[in-house]
Amino acid sequence: MKIVIDDLSGPEIAGFLDEHVQEMRSITPLESKHALDLESLRRPEITFWSVMDGDSLVGCGAIKRLDAGHAEIKSMRTSPTRKRSGIASLLLEHVVTEARRMGFTRLSLETGATDFFLPARKLYEKFGFEYCDPFADYRPDPNSAFMTKAL
């Protein structure tokens, strides 16, 4: 497997991200959905990676620069057929390493608070993320869990 910076121009990643947004809309109330669409992910403050297994797209993730020292993890997703196969751990390790290399001193994220998101929260906990108050433009939301990690 390899992790590559993606310019989000290909149809495969567009479809993969559309599936992500649709899945989030199906399980999260609209006012609590924070998944970014393709155009939002193309903003200059976002670095986006795809995880490739040969020619197959099996995962993705991004970081969004919030300020000079703080970034947010966005759009972490593993292909449904490859969940719990180590892809998310591989990608999260890469994202944390790259965030440090980029000079960030804090990495934060918002994820769901329901049982559906429990595996994601456990993964972030395993990597040293701790629960925190809302950050950036987020507000308290019973459907959201906020986590952060000092780099």
Side-chain angles (χ1 to χ4, degrees):
M1 273 188 278
K2 65 181 179 178
I3 300 172
V4 296
I5 290 181
D6 195 325
D7 67 3
L8 301 168
S9 63
E12 188 176 16
I13 191 62
F16 195 78
L17 288 167
D18 185 57
E19 288 172 11
H20 176 60
V21 170
Q22 295 306 319
E23 183 177 40
M24 294 303 100
R25 285 184 179 157
S26 74
I27 58 177
T28 304
L30 191 55
E31 66 274 10
S32 298
K33 183 204 74 75
H34 301 291
L36 298 178
D37 63 19
L38 190 60
E39 280 308 308
S40 298
L41 287 167
R42 288 182 174 141
R43 298 183 54 91
E45 66 270 18
I46 295 179
T47 302
F48 189 93
W49 294 276
S50 287
V51 182
M52 305 299 297
D53 188 0
D55 291 333
S56 298
L57 175 63
V58 296
C60 66
I63 55 174
K64 176 182 178 183
R65 179 180 40 81
L66 300 175
D67 62 40
H70 192 189
E72 177 184 5
I73 295 176
K74 298 298 292 182
S75 300
M76 283 281 293
R77 181 171 195 255
T78 299
S79 172
T81 61
R82 298 291 294 273
K83 284 187 178 182
R84 299 187 188 43
S85 66
I87 292 167
S89 290
L90 178 73
L91 180 58
L92 186 54
E93 184 175 334
H94 179 83
V95 168
V96 169
T97 298
E98 287 298 301
R100 278 190 187 109
R101 186 188 62 74
M102 292 173 173
F104 294 113
T105 57
R106 176 158 302 282
L107 196 53
S108 300
L109 62 97
E110 178 278 336
T111 191
T114 63
D115 287 346
F116 177 87
F117 296 97
L118 182 59
R121 293 191 308 270
K122 292 290 186 193
L123 174 71
Y124 296 128
E125 288 172 5
K126 182 176 102 175
F127 275 79
F129 284 82
E130 298 176 345
Y131 291 93
C132 65
D133 290 331
F135 59 92
D137 294 332
Y138 291 107
R139 300 289 172 253
D141 182 339
N143 296 300
S144 290
F146 302 97
M147 302 178 84
T148 194
K149 174 183 175 78
L151 304 177

